[in-house]
Every structure is written in C-alpha cells, then in structure tokens.
Amino acid sequence: MRQIFKQSAQLALRTGAVGLVLQALDGTKIQAVASGYSGWSKEYMEKLLAALDAALDQTELALLQENPEAPAIVCRRGLAGRQALREKIKAGLAQLAADGRNHYHPLEPEARRMKVGGVNRFAYNAQAVTDGQEA
C-alpha cells in the first residue's frame, strides 16, 4: 500500500494535479459593534417569549371583555409592538437552534460570544489564508 501511495503522490506532482506550496493561515477576533449587555441569552429569550405570550393573551382577553363586538383584528392592531417583539424573539430562537449556540444579539445576529481582549464580547472570528505562489 505504501508503494502505491508513493507512486500516486509522485504521479500527481509530476502532472501538476497537486502542488507543494507554502500556505499560511492567520485569524483574529474583531469585536462587533454591539453591547454585550443588550445581547440575549437563550434562557432569557425563552422566558421573555413566555411572558409576552401570557401578556398578549391577557390583554387580548381584556379588550374582548370590554368590547365583545370589536373584531379580533382591531385588538391585534393595538398590540402590534408586542407582536413584533414576539416575532423577533422567535426568529432569534430559530437562529440559535439552527446554529447550535446560546447567545443572540438582535443588531448583530451573526456575531458570536467570544473572548476579545480578555473580556467576553460579541465578536467575529476573521480568517485569512495565503500561499507562496504569486497571483
């Protein structure tokens, strides 16, 4: 097997299918333009969603009790801000589930929590790769 592998590698080098070129990789963490305090944890988002659902249900019920003839669409229109926040939280939880992480920032949804300068912040991990061949 070793001899076959050696011959295959030599053939690939001679035909130019592969090259033995120096490659360099470097990375750095870039802090996001987002406060760590305004980020949301998964637990916080789940608690907030449950509280919003309860508040929306309670408010909608109270509105219908005050005015039974009012159509449901009028009640929902008055709760638009809470509904928008609810949808934003649901979208954030869906992204967390898809990415397998526990923190979300509504202004920088792609940012991850990581140590930057000795402090845990929302940031990006930038990577750069180059090789020894000239372009």
Side-chain angles (χ1 to χ4, degrees):
M1 278 311 261
R2 281 187 177 166
Q3 190 60 27
I4 293 173
F5 177 74
K6 187 177 180 181
Q7 288 175 352
S8 298
Q10 288 173 348
L11 179 63
L13 280 170
R14 279 195 303 266
T15 61
V18 296
L20 297 177
V21 178
L22 173 68
Q23 294 182 340
L25 169 71
D26 192 17
T28 188
K29 294 176 184 165
I30 301 172
Q31 186 173 338
V33 184
S35 168
Y37 296 107
S38 59
W40 298 342
S41 70
K42 183 178 179 181
E43 294 81 23
Y44 173 74
M45 291 170 71
E46 289 169 346
K47 285 179 187 176
L48 186 58
L49 184 61
L52 271 173
D53 283 341
L56 286 169
D57 291 344
Q58 184 179 11
T59 305
E60 195 170 281
L61 183 62
L63 286 172
L64 288 174
Q65 285 176 348
E66 287 177 14
N67 189 1
E69 288 96 34
I73 191 75
V74 173
C75 294
R76 287 192 183 95
R77 202 176 303 143
L79 304 172
R82 287 183 179 177
Q83 290 283 10
L85 178 59
R86 184 176 180 268
E87 295 307 315
K88 193 175 198 177
I89 292 170
K90 279 186 160 186
L93 283 171
Q95 184 166 0
L96 288 181
D99 295 346
R101 54 192 178 114
N102 293 321
H103 293 91
Y104 174 80
H105 199 286
L107 300 177
E108 301 253 9
E110 293 85 24
R112 306 287 192 265
R113 291 289 284 193
M114 58 184 74
K115 220 169 205 177
V116 179
V119 181
N120 193 338
R121 307 253 185 204
F122 281 96
Y124 300 95
N125 189 359
Q127 302 282 322
V129 178
T130 186
D131 61 26
Q133 293 181 342
E134 291 182 27

mmCIF file of all heavy atoms in Angstrom, residues 31-80:
data_model
loop_
_atom_site.group_PDB
_atom_site.id
_atom_site.type_symbol
_atom_site.label_atom_id
_atom_site.label_comp_id
_atom_site.label_asym_id
_atom_site.label_seq_id
_atom_site.Cartn_x
_atom_site.Cartn_y
_atom_site.Cartn_z
ATOM 1 N N GLN A 31 -14.183 42.713 17.384
ATOM 2 C CA GLN A 31 -15.330 42.990 18.232
ATOM 3 C C GLN A 31 -16.478 43.562 17.410
ATOM 4 O O GLN A 31 -16.291 44.432 16.569
ATOM 5 C CB GLN A 31 -14.949 43.964 19.339
ATOM 6 C CG GLN A 31 -16.055 44.187 20.336
ATOM 7 C CD GLN A 31 -15.594 45.022 21.516
ATOM 8 O OE1 GLN A 31 -14.416 45.104 21.798
ATOM 9 N NE2 GLN A 31 -16.531 45.637 22.185
ATOM 10 N N ALA A 32 -17.670 43.048 17.641
ATOM 11 C CA ALA A 32 -18.865 43.554 16.962
ATOM 12 C C ALA A 32 -19.245 44.909 17.544
ATOM 13 O O ALA A 32 -18.891 45.240 18.675
ATOM 14 C CB ALA A 32 -20.008 42.564 17.130
ATOM 15 N N VAL A 33 -19.963 45.686 16.758
ATOM 16 C CA VAL A 33 -20.428 46.983 17.229
ATOM 17 C C VAL A 33 -21.758 46.754 17.950
ATOM 18 O O VAL A 33 -22.822 47.175 17.511
ATOM 19 C CB VAL A 33 -20.605 47.968 16.052
ATOM 20 C CG1 VAL A 33 -20.997 49.340 16.551
ATOM 21 C CG2 VAL A 33 -19.342 48.034 15.241
ATOM 22 N N ALA A 34 -21.677 46.007 19.039
ATOM 23 C CA ALA A 34 -22.877 45.652 19.795
ATOM 24 C C ALA A 34 -22.497 45.478 21.256
ATOM 25 O O ALA A 34 -21.497 44.847 21.569
ATOM 26 C CB ALA A 34 -23.461 44.364 19.245
ATOM 27 N N SER A 35 -23.295 46.033 22.115
ATOM 28 C CA SER A 35 -23.050 45.922 23.548
ATOM 29 C C SER A 35 -23.349 44.507 24.029
ATOM 30 O O SER A 35 -24.331 43.898 23.632
ATOM 31 C CB SER A 35 -23.946 46.907 24.295
ATOM 32 O OG SER A 35 -23.931 46.636 25.679
ATOM 33 N N GLY A 36 -22.493 44.000 24.885
ATOM 34 C CA GLY A 36 -22.731 42.689 25.470
ATOM 35 C C GLY A 36 -23.949 42.684 26.370
ATOM 36 O O GLY A 36 -24.611 41.664 26.538
ATOM 37 N N TYR A 37 -24.282 43.833 26.936
ATOM 38 C CA TYR A 37 -25.437 43.925 27.837
ATOM 39 C C TYR A 37 -26.764 43.863 27.090
ATOM 40 O O TYR A 37 -27.777 43.498 27.660
ATOM 41 C CB TYR A 37 -25.361 45.212 28.667
ATOM 42 C CG TYR A 37 -24.178 45.227 29.587
ATOM 43 C CD1 TYR A 37 -23.083 46.049 29.325
ATOM 44 C CD2 TYR A 37 -24.127 44.395 30.704
ATOM 45 C CE1 TYR A 37 -21.986 46.061 30.158
ATOM 46 C CE2 TYR A 37 -23.022 44.397 31.543
ATOM 47 C CZ TYR A 37 -21.960 45.233 31.269
ATOM 48 O OH TYR A 37 -20.875 45.224 32.092
ATOM 49 N N SER A 38 -26.762 44.271 25.814
ATOM 50 C CA SER A 38 -28.015 44.257 25.071
ATOM 51 C C SER A 38 -28.224 42.954 24.304
ATOM 52 O O SER A 38 -29.213 42.805 23.605
ATOM 53 C CB SER A 38 -28.085 45.447 24.116
ATOM 54 O OG SER A 38 -26.994 45.418 23.212
ATOM 55 N N GLY A 39 -27.292 42.017 24.450
ATOM 56 C CA GLY A 39 -27.456 40.705 23.835
ATOM 57 C C GLY A 39 -28.413 39.854 24.647
ATOM 58 O O GLY A 39 -28.684 40.118 25.816
ATOM 59 N N TRP A 40 -28.950 38.833 24.009
ATOM 60 C CA TRP A 40 -29.921 37.963 24.650
ATOM 61 C C TRP A 40 -29.370 36.553 24.766
ATOM 62 O O TRP A 40 -28.820 36.019 23.810
ATOM 63 C CB TRP A 40 -31.209 37.909 23.846
ATOM 64 C CG TRP A 40 -31.918 39.212 23.697
ATOM 65 C CD1 TRP A 40 -31.740 40.335 24.448
ATOM 66 C CD2 TRP A 40 -32.918 39.535 22.733
ATOM 67 N NE1 TRP A 40 -32.582 41.325 24.020
ATOM 68 C CE2 TRP A 40 -33.316 40.864 22.967
ATOM 69 C CE3 TRP A 40 -33.524 38.838 21.704
ATOM 70 C CZ2 TRP A 40 -34.288 41.500 22.213
ATOM 71 C CZ3 TRP A 40 -34.496 39.470 20.955
ATOM 72 C CH2 TRP A 40 -34.870 40.783 21.207
ATOM 73 N N SER A 41 -29.575 35.947 25.915
ATOM 74 C CA SER A 41 -29.238 34.529 26.068
ATOM 75 C C SER A 41 -30.470 33.715 25.691
ATOM 76 O O SER A 41 -31.602 34.221 25.675
ATOM 77 C CB SER A 41 -28.828 34.215 27.511
ATOM 78 O OG SER A 41 -29.944 34.299 28.369
ATOM 79 N N LYS A 42 -30.260 32.450 25.404
ATOM 80 C CA LYS A 42 -31.367 31.572 25.036
ATOM 81 C C LYS A 42 -32.400 31.501 26.163
ATOM 82 O O LYS A 42 -33.605 31.580 25.920
ATOM 83 C CB LYS A 42 -30.822 30.180 24.713
ATOM 84 C CG LYS A 42 -31.854 29.202 24.242
ATOM 85 C CD LYS A 42 -31.208 27.876 23.900
ATOM 86 C CE LYS A 42 -32.236 26.871 23.450
ATOM 87 N NZ LYS A 42 -31.631 25.583 23.134
ATOM 88 N N GLU A 43 -31.918 31.386 27.400
ATOM 89 C CA GLU A 43 -32.823 31.294 28.549
ATOM 90 C C GLU A 43 -33.660 32.568 28.692
ATOM 91 O O GLU A 43 -34.868 32.514 28.940
ATOM 92 C CB GLU A 43 -32.039 31.045 29.850
ATOM 93 C CG GLU A 43 -31.337 29.709 29.906
ATOM 94 C CD GLU A 43 -30.001 29.697 29.147
ATOM 95 O OE1 GLU A 43 -29.401 30.770 28.950
ATOM 96 O OE2 GLU A 43 -29.581 28.610 28.731
ATOM 97 N N TYR A 44 -33.009 33.720 28.521
ATOM 98 C CA TYR A 44 -33.721 34.993 28.627
ATOM 99 C C TYR A 44 -34.793 35.103 27.544
ATOM 100 O O TYR A 44 -35.922 35.537 27.800
ATOM 101 C CB TYR A 44 -32.729 36.160 28.524
ATOM 102 C CG TYR A 44 -33.396 37.515 28.459
ATOM 103 C CD1 TYR A 44 -33.967 38.077 29.601
ATOM 104 C CD2 TYR A 44 -33.467 38.220 27.271
ATOM 105 C CE1 TYR A 44 -34.590 39.312 29.546
ATOM 106 C CE2 TYR A 44 -34.087 39.452 27.201
ATOM 107 C CZ TYR A 44 -34.640 39.993 28.344
ATOM 108 O OH TYR A 44 -35.259 41.214 28.288
ATOM 109 N N MET A 45 -34.447 34.690 26.326
ATOM 110 C CA MET A 45 -35.390 34.769 25.217
ATOM 111 C C MET A 45 -36.592 33.863 25.449
ATOM 112 O O MET A 45 -37.739 34.243 25.159
ATOM 113 C CB MET A 45 -34.688 34.421 23.904
ATOM 114 C CG MET A 45 -33.692 35.470 23.472
ATOM 115 S SD MET A 45 -32.651 34.947 22.101
ATOM 116 C CE MET A 45 -33.799 34.961 20.757
ATOM 117 N N GLU A 46 -36.352 32.670 25.982
ATOM 118 C CA GLU A 46 -37.459 31.750 26.260
ATOM 119 C C GLU A 46 -38.378 32.312 27.348
ATOM 120 O O GLU A 46 -39.602 32.238 27.230
ATOM 121 C CB GLU A 46 -36.920 30.375 26.645
ATOM 122 C CG GLU A 46 -36.297 29.640 25.479
ATOM 123 C CD GLU A 46 -35.519 28.407 25.873
ATOM 124 O OE1 GLU A 46 -35.207 28.228 27.075
ATOM 125 O OE2 GLU A 46 -35.221 27.604 24.966
ATOM 126 N N LYS A 47 -37.803 32.891 28.407
ATOM 127 C CA LYS A 47 -38.613 33.495 29.479
ATOM 128 C C LYS A 47 -39.395 34.697 28.952
ATOM 129 O O LYS A 47 -40.573 34.877 29.263
ATOM 130 C CB LYS A 47 -37.722 33.937 30.637
ATOM 131 C CG LYS A 47 -37.213 32.806 31.493
ATOM 132 C CD LYS A 47 -36.328 33.349 32.606
ATOM 133 C CE LYS A 47 -35.670 32.225 33.379
ATOM 134 N NZ LYS A 47 -34.739 32.723 34.390
ATOM 135 N N LEU A 48 -38.744 35.529 28.150
ATOM 136 C CA LEU A 48 -39.395 36.713 27.598
ATOM 137 C C LEU A 48 -40.532 36.316 26.652
ATOM 138 O O LEU A 48 -41.603 36.927 26.667
ATOM 139 C CB LEU A 48 -38.377 37.591 26.878
ATOM 140 C CG LEU A 48 -38.857 38.938 26.359
ATOM 141 C CD1 LEU A 48 -39.415 39.791 27.497
ATOM 142 C CD2 LEU A 48 -37.720 39.677 25.669
ATOM 143 N N LEU A 49 -40.324 35.289 25.852
ATOM 144 C CA LEU A 49 -41.363 34.821 24.937
ATOM 145 C C LEU A 49 -42.575 34.311 25.714
ATOM 146 O O LEU A 49 -43.718 34.630 25.371
ATOM 147 C CB LEU A 49 -40.811 33.727 24.020
ATOM 148 C CG LEU A 49 -41.750 33.211 22.938
ATOM 149 C CD1 LEU A 49 -42.151 34.338 21.997
ATOM 150 C CD2 LEU A 49 -41.093 32.086 22.165
ATOM 151 N N ALA A 50 -42.337 33.542 26.766
ATOM 152 C CA ALA A 50 -43.447 33.047 27.592
ATOM 153 C C ALA A 50 -44.194 34.213 28.245
ATOM 154 O O ALA A 50 -45.435 34.226 28.277
ATOM 155 C CB ALA A 50 -42.921 32.082 28.649
ATOM 156 N N ALA A 51 -43.465 35.206 28.754
ATOM 157 C CA ALA A 51 -44.103 36.369 29.382
ATOM 158 C C ALA A 51 -44.899 37.176 28.357
ATOM 159 O O ALA A 51 -46.007 37.645 28.648
ATOM 160 C CB ALA A 51 -43.046 37.242 30.048
ATOM 161 N N LEU A 52 -44.343 37.343 27.156
ATOM 162 C CA LEU A 52 -45.061 38.074 26.107
ATOM 163 C C LEU A 52 -46.325 37.342 25.697
ATOM 164 O O LEU A 52 -47.377 37.967 25.512
ATOM 165 C CB LEU A 52 -44.153 38.255 24.883
ATOM 166 C CG LEU A 52 -43.282 39.488 24.854
ATOM 167 C CD1 LEU A 52 -42.329 39.435 23.681
ATOM 168 C CD2 LEU A 52 -44.106 40.739 24.795
ATOM 169 N N ASP A 53 -46.238 36.036 25.531
ATOM 170 C CA ASP A 53 -47.422 35.247 25.170
ATOM 171 C C ASP A 53 -48.513 35.412 26.215
ATOM 172 O O ASP A 53 -49.681 35.633 25.882
ATOM 173 C CB ASP A 53 -47.063 33.770 25.008
ATOM 174 C CG ASP A 53 -46.358 33.476 23.690
ATOM 175 O OD1 ASP A 53 -46.466 34.313 22.766
ATOM 176 O OD2 ASP A 53 -45.720 32.415 23.580
ATOM 177 N N ALA A 54 -48.140 35.328 27.482
ATOM 178 C CA ALA A 54 -49.118 35.482 28.570
ATOM 179 C C ALA A 54 -49.714 36.887 28.576
ATOM 180 O O ALA A 54 -50.932 37.065 28.710
ATOM 181 C CB ALA A 54 -48.465 35.168 29.912
ATOM 182 N N ALA A 55 -48.866 37.905 28.412
ATOM 183 C CA ALA A 55 -49.346 39.288 28.410
ATOM 184 C C ALA A 55 -50.252 39.557 27.214
ATOM 185 O O ALA A 55 -51.283 40.233 27.343
ATOM 186 C CB ALA A 55 -48.163 40.255 28.410
ATOM 187 N N LEU A 56 -49.879 39.027 26.049
ATOM 188 C CA LEU A 56 -50.710 39.228 24.859
ATOM 189 C C LEU A 56 -52.066 38.559 25.029
ATOM 190 O O LEU A 56 -53.101 39.142 24.690
ATOM 191 C CB LEU A 56 -49.989 38.693 23.617
ATOM 192 C CG LEU A 56 -48.833 39.547 23.109
ATOM 193 C CD1 LEU A 56 -48.031 38.809 22.050
ATOM 194 C CD2 LEU A 56 -49.349 40.857 22.559
ATOM 195 N N ASP A 57 -52.066 37.339 25.540
ATOM 196 C CA ASP A 57 -53.329 36.638 25.754
ATOM 197 C C ASP A 57 -54.200 37.388 26.749
ATOM 198 O O ASP A 57 -55.406 37.561 26.539
ATOM 199 C CB ASP A 57 -53.074 35.208 26.250
ATOM 200 C CG ASP A 57 -52.462 34.315 25.180
ATOM 201 O OD1 ASP A 57 -52.523 34.700 23.985
ATOM 202 O OD2 ASP A 57 -51.928 33.245 25.540
ATOM 203 N N GLN A 58 -53.606 37.844 27.832
ATOM 204 C CA GLN A 58 -54.349 38.543 28.881
ATOM 205 C C GLN A 58 -54.905 39.875 28.358
ATOM 206 O O GLN A 58 -56.067 40.213 28.591
ATOM 207 C CB GLN A 58 -53.446 38.786 30.087
ATOM 208 C CG GLN A 58 -54.140 39.413 31.262
ATOM 209 C CD GLN A 58 -53.187 39.606 32.436
ATOM 210 O OE1 GLN A 58 -51.981 39.464 32.308
ATOM 211 N NE2 GLN A 58 -53.749 39.947 33.585
ATOM 212 N N THR A 59 -54.101 40.613 27.621
ATOM 213 C CA THR A 59 -54.544 41.907 27.089
ATOM 214 C C THR A 59 -55.636 41.720 26.050
ATOM 215 O O THR A 59 -56.628 42.456 26.036
ATOM 216 C CB THR A 59 -53.347 42.667 26.475
ATOM 217 O OG1 THR A 59 -52.324 42.779 27.457
ATOM 218 C CG2 THR A 59 -53.753 44.038 25.988
ATOM 219 N N GLU A 60 -55.467 40.733 25.179
ATOM 220 C CA GLU A 60 -56.467 40.478 24.154
ATOM 221 C C GLU A 60 -57.799 40.070 24.795
ATOM 222 O O GLU A 60 -58.869 40.523 24.389
ATOM 223 C CB GLU A 60 -55.961 39.381 23.209
ATOM 224 C CG GLU A 60 -56.735 39.292 21.922
ATOM 225 C CD GLU A 60 -56.044 38.375 20.932
ATOM 226 O OE1 GLU A 60 -55.070 38.833 20.306
ATOM 227 O OE2 GLU A 60 -56.474 37.220 20.800
ATOM 228 N N LEU A 61 -57.736 39.236 25.821
ATOM 229 C CA LEU A 61 -58.943 38.818 26.534
ATOM 230 C C LEU A 61 -59.617 40.013 27.203
ATOM 231 O O LEU A 61 -60.850 40.166 27.138
ATOM 232 C CB LEU A 61 -58.591 37.751 27.579
ATOM 233 C CG LEU A 61 -59.754 37.159 28.363
ATOM 234 C CD1 LEU A 61 -60.715 36.438 27.426
ATOM 235 C CD2 LEU A 61 -59.231 36.203 29.417
ATOM 236 N N ALA A 62 -58.834 40.882 27.829
ATOM 237 C CA ALA A 62 -59.387 42.069 28.489
ATOM 238 C C ALA A 62 -60.051 42.991 27.469
ATOM 239 O O ALA A 62 -61.136 43.540 27.723
ATOM 240 C CB ALA A 62 -58.290 42.809 29.241
ATOM 241 N N LEU A 63 -59.432 43.165 26.302
ATOM 242 C CA LEU A 63 -60.018 44.013 25.261
ATOM 243 C C LEU A 63 -61.331 43.438 24.759
ATOM 244 O O LEU A 63 -62.301 44.163 24.525
ATOM 245 C CB LEU A 63 -59.034 44.181 24.095
ATOM 246 C CG LEU A 63 -57.843 45.098 24.332
ATOM 247 C CD1 LEU A 63 -56.864 45.011 23.173
ATOM 248 C CD2 LEU A 63 -58.299 46.526 24.528
ATOM 249 N N LEU A 64 -61.383 42.129 24.580
ATOM 250 C CA LEU A 64 -62.611 41.499 24.109
ATOM 251 C C LEU A 64 -63.708 41.551 25.167
ATOM 252 O O LEU A 64 -64.893 41.641 24.833
ATOM 253 C CB LEU A 64 -62.331 40.061 23.678
ATOM 254 C CG LEU A 64 -61.544 39.910 22.376
ATOM 255 C CD1 LEU A 64 -61.193 38.464 22.113
ATOM 256 C CD2 LEU A 64 -62.321 40.487 21.204
ATOM 257 N N GLN A 65 -63.332 41.498 26.445
ATOM 258 C CA GLN A 65 -64.328 41.589 27.509
ATOM 259 C C GLN A 65 -64.896 43.006 27.590
ATOM 260 O O GLN A 65 -66.081 43.188 27.866
ATOM 261 C CB GLN A 65 -63.725 41.187 28.850
ATOM 262 C CG GLN A 65 -63.533 39.692 28.989
ATOM 263 C CD GLN A 65 -62.840 39.317 30.295
ATOM 264 O OE1 GLN A 65 -62.301 40.174 30.992
ATOM 265 N NE2 GLN A 65 -62.839 38.028 30.609
ATOM 266 N N GLU A 66 -64.065 44.007 27.358
ATOM 267 C CA GLU A 66 -64.533 45.392 27.379
ATOM 268 C C GLU A 66 -65.459 45.691 26.213
ATOM 269 O O GLU A 66 -66.418 46.435 26.344
ATOM 270 C CB GLU A 66 -63.339 46.354 27.342
ATOM 271 C CG GLU A 66 -62.560 46.434 28.623
ATOM 272 C CD GLU A 66 -61.354 47.355 28.498
ATOM 273 O OE1 GLU A 66 -61.274 48.130 27.525
ATOM 274 O OE2 GLU A 66 -60.485 47.285 29.384
ATOM 275 N N ASN A 67 -65.130 45.130 25.050
ATOM 276 C CA ASN A 67 -65.917 45.389 23.853
ATOM 277 C C ASN A 67 -66.055 44.089 23.063
ATOM 278 O O ASN A 67 -65.273 43.830 22.163
ATOM 279 C CB ASN A 67 -65.245 46.485 23.014
ATOM 280 C CG ASN A 67 -66.115 46.957 21.878
ATOM 281 O OD1 ASN A 67 -67.240 46.496 21.702
ATOM 282 N ND2 ASN A 67 -65.589 47.883 21.100
ATOM 283 N N PRO A 68 -67.090 43.283 23.360
ATOM 284 C CA PRO A 68 -67.248 41.982 22.699
ATOM 285 C C PRO A 68 -67.482 42.074 21.199
ATOM 286 O O PRO A 68 -67.178 41.140 20.474
ATOM 287 C CB PRO A 68 -68.460 41.355 23.394
ATOM 288 C CG PRO A 68 -68.735 42.184 24.584
ATOM 289 C CD PRO A 68 -68.092 43.512 24.378
ATOM 290 N N GLU A 69 -68.018 43.201 20.718
ATOM 291 C CA GLU A 69 -68.279 43.328 19.277
ATOM 292 C C GLU A 69 -67.023 43.684 18.483
ATOM 293 O O GLU A 69 -67.011 43.627 17.260
ATOM 294 C CB GLU A 69 -69.350 44.391 19.004
ATOM 295 C CG GLU A 69 -70.744 43.980 19.411
ATOM 296 C CD GLU A 69 -71.083 44.504 20.794
ATOM 297 O OE1 GLU A 69 -70.625 45.605 21.143
ATOM 298 O OE2 GLU A 69 -71.817 43.807 21.510
ATOM 299 N N ALA A 70 -65.963 44.096 19.159
ATOM 300 C CA ALA A 70 -64.734 44.500 18.458
ATOM 301 C C ALA A 70 -64.124 43.288 17.768
ATOM 302 O O ALA A 70 -63.938 42.250 18.390
ATOM 303 C CB ALA A 70 -63.737 45.097 19.435
ATOM 304 N N PRO A 71 -63.852 43.422 16.490
ATOM 305 C CA PRO A 71 -63.221 42.284 15.804
ATOM 306 C C PRO A 71 -61.809 42.036 16.338
ATOM 307 O O PRO A 71 -61.140 42.934 16.827
ATOM 308 C CB PRO A 71 -63.179 42.721 14.331
ATOM 309 C CG PRO A 71 -63.362 44.198 14.342
ATOM 310 C CD PRO A 71 -64.073 44.556 15.606
ATOM 311 N N ALA A 72 -61.379 40.779 16.228
ATOM 312 C CA ALA A 72 -60.068 40.386 16.746
ATOM 313 C C ALA A 72 -58.946 41.161 16.065
ATOM 314 O O ALA A 72 -57.920 41.438 16.677
ATOM 315 C CB ALA A 72 -59.859 38.892 16.574
ATOM 316 N N ILE A 73 -59.149 41.549 14.802
ATOM 317 C CA ILE A 73 -58.092 42.265 14.080
ATOM 318 C C ILE A 73 -57.845 43.634 14.711
ATOM 319 O O ILE A 73 -56.711 44.099 14.777
ATOM 320 C CB ILE A 73 -58.436 42.391 12.568
ATOM 321 C CG1 ILE A 73 -57.228 42.884 11.776
ATOM 322 C CG2 ILE A 73 -59.599 43.314 12.338
ATOM 323 C CD1 ILE A 73 -56.195 41.835 11.587
ATOM 324 N N VAL A 74 -58.861 44.286 15.228
ATOM 325 C CA VAL A 74 -58.684 45.581 15.887
ATOM 326 C C VAL A 74 -57.883 45.401 17.166
ATOM 327 O O VAL A 74 -56.991 46.187 17.483
ATOM 328 C CB VAL A 74 -60.059 46.233 16.187
ATOM 329 C CG1 VAL A 74 -59.888 47.486 17.032
ATOM 330 C CG2 VAL A 74 -60.787 46.537 14.898
ATOM 331 N N CYS A 75 -58.159 44.332 17.916
ATOM 332 C CA CYS A 75 -57.415 44.051 19.147
ATOM 333 C C CYS A 75 -55.946 43.799 18.836
ATOM 334 O O CYS A 75 -55.069 44.288 19.534
ATOM 335 C CB CYS A 75 -58.009 42.840 19.859
ATOM 336 S SG CYS A 75 -59.679 43.136 20.470
ATOM 337 N N ARG A 76 -55.705 43.042 17.793
ATOM 338 C CA ARG A 76 -54.313 42.705 17.456
ATOM 339 C C ARG A 76 -53.549 43.936 16.955
ATOM 340 O O ARG A 76 -52.351 44.040 17.162
ATOM 341 C CB ARG A 76 -54.281 41.584 16.418
ATOM 342 C CG ARG A 76 -54.657 40.258 17.010
ATOM 343 C CD ARG A 76 -54.339 39.120 16.061
ATOM 344 N NE ARG A 76 -54.769 37.872 16.634
ATOM 345 C CZ ARG A 76 -55.934 37.276 16.393
ATOM 346 N NH1 ARG A 76 -56.790 37.820 15.551
ATOM 347 N NH2 ARG A 76 -56.245 36.142 16.967
ATOM 348 N N ARG A 77 -54.262 44.838 16.289
ATOM 349 C CA ARG A 77 -53.612 46.032 15.774
ATOM 350 C C ARG A 77 -53.074 46.882 16.921
ATOM 351 O O ARG A 77 -52.012 47.485 16.821
ATOM 352 C CB ARG A 77 -54.591 46.836 14.924
ATOM 353 C CG ARG A 77 -53.884 47.751 13.960
ATOM 354 C CD ARG A 77 -54.843 48.484 13.040
ATOM 355 N NE ARG A 77 -55.683 47.574 12.278
ATOM 356 C CZ ARG A 77 -56.969 47.796 11.986
ATOM 357 N NH1 ARG A 77 -57.565 48.890 12.393
ATOM 358 N NH2 ARG A 77 -57.657 46.921 11.290
ATOM 359 N N GLY A 78 -53.764 46.927 18.031
ATOM 360 C CA GLY A 78 -53.322 47.684 19.187
ATOM 361 C C GLY A 78 -52.126 47.062 19.888
ATOM 362 O O GLY A 78 -51.440 47.703 20.668
ATOM 363 N N LEU A 79 -51.857 45.813 19.606
ATOM 364 C CA LEU A 79 -50.743 45.093 20.241
ATOM 365 C C LEU A 79 -49.591 44.865 19.266
ATOM 366 O O LEU A 79 -48.786 43.966 19.458
ATOM 367 C CB LEU A 79 -51.255 43.744 20.765
ATOM 368 C CG LEU A 79 -52.433 43.814 21.739
ATOM 369 C CD1 LEU A 79 -52.963 42.427 22.025
ATOM 370 C CD2 LEU A 79 -52.008 44.496 23.010
ATOM 371 N N ALA A 80 -49.510 45.667 18.235
ATOM 372 C CA ALA A 80 -48.527 45.450 17.169
ATOM 373 C C ALA A 80 -47.087 45.459 17.673
ATOM 374 O O ALA A 80 -46.264 44.661 17.230
ATOM 375 C CB ALA A 80 -48.709 46.493 16.073
#
